[in-house]
Amino acid sequence: MLKGCIDLYAATGDPFYRSFVLDYLYRYVAQDGTIANYELNKYNIDSINCGKALFFALDETGDERFRKAIEFHMQRLREHPRCGCGNFWHKNIYPHQIWLDGLYMAQPFYMAYENRFDKMANVADITRQYENVRKYLFNEEKQLYYHACDTARIQPWADKDTGCSRNFWLRSMGWYVMSLIDCIDNCSEMLYEHYRLLMDLFREAIRGMLRYRDEATGLYWQVIDHGENPDNYLETAGSAMMAYALMKGVRLGVLNEEKYLPLGKQAYESLVNTKLISDESGLHLKDICAVAGLSDTRDGSVAYYLSEPVVCDDSKGVGPFMMATAEYLRA
C-alpha cells in the first residue's frame, strides 16, 4: 500500500499520497530508527518489505530516523537465516524453504540499499539468489516457476526429488516479476553482468506468463496453467502485478513498447472494467485471493489454491492495483 502511494505521488504529484506515507511512518518509526511492532525473532522475510518506503521518507524529510530505520532493516537482513545455496529462508517457521514471494519482500530493498549506501558491494549476492531460483524452481516445459522449494526435501508438499511445490500460483509469479523489475530499477547498467542477468530473467518470465493470459481480458488465472478448470478464476492481485510489471518494464526500456505496452494497458483496463465495483459505501476491488501458502495442511494442489477465500479490498491486491494505476498514468 505504501509503495502504491509512493508511485502515485510520483505519477500525479498529489500531496495526499506523500502525507499518507509520512504520517504512517512517523507513527511506527521511533527516533532511534527502531520499529516498535517488528517481530525480531520470527525472521520473517515479509517484514523487510516495508523498509522500501523508508528511502522515500528519508529523501522527502531528511529525518535521520529514517536512515537509522533503513539500517535497522538491513541488519535484520544480514542476520536472516539462509539455505545452503545462499538464499534467504522464507521465515523461521519455514526453514530451508525458498518462496517466490520472498524475492519481492527482500531483494528490491536489498538492491536499493546497495545502490544508495553500499556502492553495490553485495550485488552478486542478490543476483546469485535469482540464479538459484532459476536453477531450482523453474519448469522448462511450462516456462513458469513453482511457488516454492524446500531445499531440505522434507515438507509434505515438496517433491522428493526436486523439493518443489506442485503448481504455479499466480500471485507468487506476480511477486517474482515485480521483484525483478524493481531490482532492475535500482541496478546500474554499468554493472553489465548483473544488470543483464536480471533483464534476461525478467523477459523470460514475462514471455512464459503471456502464454497463459486470458486473451479476452488480458488477465491471468489463479492457477496459471489451468484456465480450463471450471473452478479457476481470473485473480485480481496477480493480474495487477503483471500489469505493473509489463508497463514498468516498458517504461524502463527493458520491454519493447510496441509489443508489451498494449498488453499491460489491456490488463489494467480490464481490472478497472471488471474487478473495480461500486456500492453505497464506495469503490471496491474484488476477486482477490485472501492468502495462499504451503504447510502441513496446505498441499499446493490445484484444489487447494482454488479453495482459499476470495475477498474484496485486501491490501495484497489494492497495493499492486495502485502501483499499476501509477504506471498506467505514466504511460
Side-chain angles (χ1 to χ4, degrees), residues 115-152:
N115 184 25
R116 291 283 297 272
F117 301 119
D118 204 28
K119 298 180 180 179
M120 289 294 191
N122 292 298
V123 67
D125 183 31
I126 297 170
T127 53
R128 189 182 305 113
Q129 294 195 46
Y130 279 106
E131 287 180 301
N132 286 336
V133 167
R134 175 63 171 75
K135 177 180 179 180
Y136 295 119
L137 280 77
F138 189 67
N139 181 295
E140 293 281 356
E141 178 188 358
K142 297 281 189 176
Q143 292 289 294
L144 296 171
Y145 287 79
Y146 293 106
H147 186 177
C149 176
D150 169 27
T151 64

Side-chain angles (χ1 to χ4, degrees), residues 154-215:
I154 59 176
Q155 296 301 319
W157 50 261
D159 183 278
K160 298 306 177 187
D161 294 324
T162 67
C164 289
S165 56
R166 297 161 59 183
N167 283 289
F168 309 102
W169 178 43
L170 174 58
R171 190 150 73 223
S172 69
M173 279 296 300
W175 293 130
Y176 179 67
V177 294
M178 288 204 306
S179 77
L180 281 164
I181 199 60
D182 286 355
C183 280
I184 289 167
D185 197 11
N186 273 293
C187 184
S188 169
E189 293 183 48
M190 299 295 289
L191 298 167
Y192 179 78
E193 178 184 348
H194 302 288
Y195 190 84
R196 184 76 201 187
L197 172 69
L198 295 173
M199 282 206 311
D200 288 347
L201 290 175
F202 177 72
R203 289 167 174 164
E204 178 183 63
I206 291 293
R207 289 194 299 269
M209 284 293 294
L210 290 176
R211 294 169 57 177
Y212 304 96
R213 64 189 282 273
D214 176 60
E215 293 287 341

Side-chain angles (χ1 to χ4, degrees), residues 23 65 111 138 150 178 182 190 193 260 295 308 310:
D23 290 349
R65 77 174 68 202
M111 184 70 84
F138 189 67
D150 169 27
M178 288 204 306
D182 286 355
M190 299 295 289
E193 178 184 348
Y260 292 100
S295 65
E308 286 288 8
V310 182

Side-chain angles (χ1 to χ4, degrees), residues 238-254:
S239 294
M241 292 172 176
M242 281 296 297
Y244 167 82
L246 284 163
M247 290 187 285
K248 185 171 182 178
V250 169
R251 179 167 62 82
L252 297 184
V254 177

